[in-house]
Amino acid sequence: MLDVVRRLGYPHGVYRFDRIALEYQVTRPGPARESLSRIASSLDGHRDLVDALLVYIRCDGSRKSTARLLHVHPNTVDYRFRRIHQVTGYDPATVSGLSKLQAAMVVGAFEGKGYPGPAAPKPIARSTVAAGAAPVGKAV
């Protein structure tokens, strides 16, 4: 689990397993990871699309916030989403498409494609861990 946290570039801290379970699972070798890796690889050379997708994920699906953070018009975000759909076959404007693309971004970041993984969960506060009041669950 420590390898996952490090390779995804998550901030230093203590993480409960249940907070990184998805990341851990999709980065394990097997057919799911291979499939997600192909999706991530289809975006190689399209840094503007990757950036739009990662910012959209970090903005909890807010198109306006994404446009503001990217310093583009919201219609540009829509255009980039159409391009993502053309390139990958998955539409980031739908829940099912976005979840698949988010998992692909985790795998891509894990495999060192040069972009950060989607938003990291917040680590457990050090003062909470020091006081022995860490929430139930494994921590890394």
Side-chain angles (χ1 to χ4, degrees), residues 53-119:
L53 184 56
L54 291 172
V55 171
Y56 185 68
I57 291 167
R58 289 193 174 119
C59 289
D60 288 327
S62 170
R63 189 176 137 271
K64 286 184 180 181
S65 295
T66 300
R68 187 173 50 254
L69 287 173
L70 291 173
H71 306 290
V72 298
H73 192 276
N75 289 345
T76 302
V77 174
D78 293 339
Y79 169 76
R80 290 181 185 175
F81 285 178
R82 285 192 300 275
R83 290 280 301 128
I84 290 168
H85 191 196
Q86 290 171 346
V87 170
T88 67
Y90 296 97
D91 184 357
T94 66
V95 173
S96 61
L98 184 60
S99 62
K100 183 75 77 164
L101 289 164
Q102 183 172 1
M105 292 294 95
V106 167
V107 170
F110 183 80
E111 292 178 343
K113 294 208 175 279
Y115 49 83

